[in-house]
Every structure is written in structure tokens, then in C-alpha cells.
Amino acid sequence: WQAKANSTVRKLKFASGMDTIFAGGAFTSVTGSDGTTAERWSLARFGTHSGNVNPWAIPKRAIASGPLKRDPIPVWDFKVTSTRLYAGYGGPNRNVVAAFRLGDGNVGKLGWRFNLAGNPQSLAFSPDRSRLIIGGHFGINDRDQRVCGDKYLKGLVAVNLDNGAVDCSWIPTLDQEKRP
């Protein structure tokens, strides 16, 4: 099959049952193998056997658009479980990691959102799968961000999978060279 997006696709990940595949990037619409085009901002879901667009979608207002209000905020990375999709969005004026529910029919309802002072570039689960580890361009240059009683975020942070709360017991420092 051959599905397509109207702009960049950065990541592909299978849903836990392998019957659908998610695409993340910087697009505003996708077209399935059957020729049906659907509006999808930065995240889309396709049937793995047909390549057709799955009706599951994130509400457009769940993650605000870019500075021109017509541009999507690109998804740089995402992770999928059987019940949620966790996505890292990064753009010039909006950087956020969000959790969307997969079990609420065709709507990817927002579970939580965590704002960052720089792009979230990479997501991973902790070994015990209780936390989401976020790595990216935050806490560098003029993008300081403080959490947990004035601790600085420096490129890595862990958040609770259920509610997006920062794990204050694990805030490592990845000092990065400051650029002029």
C-alpha cells in the first residue's frame, strides 16, 4: 500500500496490536491508499493491512498550531502503549509533550500536557515503564526552565505516565555548551 502526507514524516510506530501504524511529523493532511484525504495535524493513524487513514484523530485544539496559526507544530518523537500515545511537539513558539488516549473511540483525547522551554527531541520509557524520559533542547542558552523547588532542567527530565508530573527525584544535568 501507499499512503502519503502533505509534508515531512519524521517517525513511524506500530500500535500495540500491530493492526495500525502511527505517523508523526509536520503535516496537516494525509491520504490513504484508497485516495481518501483527511486533515491530521502532525499525527495520523493508518491501517497496516490497507494503508487507509484510520478515523482516530487528535482534536485540532489539543495542541495549538504554530505562530502563523496555519502551521502544525512538528512531532519530533512519540511512543505508543496499548492505551496512550505520548508525543513530543517542538516549534519556534511552542514546545510540549502530551499524552493522548487511544481507547476513547475515534478521538485522541488529551490526557495531559507538559510545556517545555525548548524542543523535546526524544522520548523513552524508563526500564520499569513508570515514567516517560524526555530529552531535548531545553535548559540551554536562554531557555532556562525550573521545576521541583527551583531545580534547572538541563536536557533531560522524567514525567509520570499517568499525569505528566515531573519526577523530582530524577533531574539529571546534561550541561551543554552555550552558544553566543
Side-chain angles (χ1 to χ4, degrees):
W1 53 265
Q2 185 174 7
K4 51 188 164 179
N6 71 340
S7 193
T8 306
V9 173
R10 295 190 193 294
K11 296 282 180 177
L12 297 169
K13 307 257 182 184
F14 285 103
S16 62
M18 305 290 280
D19 59 338
T20 60
I21 188 168
F22 292 92
F27 47 84
T28 57
S29 69
V30 294
T31 303
S33 291
D34 64 357
T36 301
T37 298
E39 182 178 52
R40 297 289 189 273
W41 283 60
S42 303
L43 279 169
R45 191 174 191 177
F46 298 91
T48 54
H49 299 291
S50 67
N52 295 336
V53 179
N54 184 283
W56 182 89
I58 294 168
K60 195 172 179 179
R61 296 195 184 274
I63 302 295
S65 62
L68 299 178
K69 303 293 184 216
R70 66 177 187 270
D71 298 325
I73 299 171
V75 167
W76 291 92
D77 197 9
F78 62 94
K79 295 292 181 201
V80 183
T81 70
S82 61
T83 59
R84 291 203 179 181
L85 183 143
Y86 302 90
Y89 292 83
N93 295 316
R94 187 85 164 137
N95 300 289
V96 64
V97 174
F100 299 99
R101 293 183 182 98
L102 296 176
D104 293 335
N106 293 332
V107 178
K109 291 180 184 172
L110 181 66
W112 54 260
R113 177 178 33 229
F114 178 62
N115 293 317
L116 289 160
N119 288 347
Q121 297 282 313
S122 184
L123 304 178
F125 294 119
S126 63
D128 67 359
R129 296 187 69 85
S130 67
R131 299 174 294 169
L132 182 69
I133 311 298
I134 305 164
H137 299 185
F138 46 90
I140 60 173
N141 300 326
D142 295 328
R143 298 179 184 262
D144 287 337
Q145 184 172 354
R146 296 178 193 199
V147 296
C148 302
D150 226 18
K151 292 181 183 177
Y152 285 100
L153 291 185
K154 294 285 187 185
L156 278 175
V157 66
V159 298
N160 181 292
L161 288 175
D162 294 328
N163 59 22
V166 172
D167 179 349
C168 295
S169 71
W170 193 82
I171 301 179
T173 297
L174 284 180
D175 284 327
Q176 301 173 28
E177 181 180 326
K178 291 192 176 208
R179 297 182 187 161

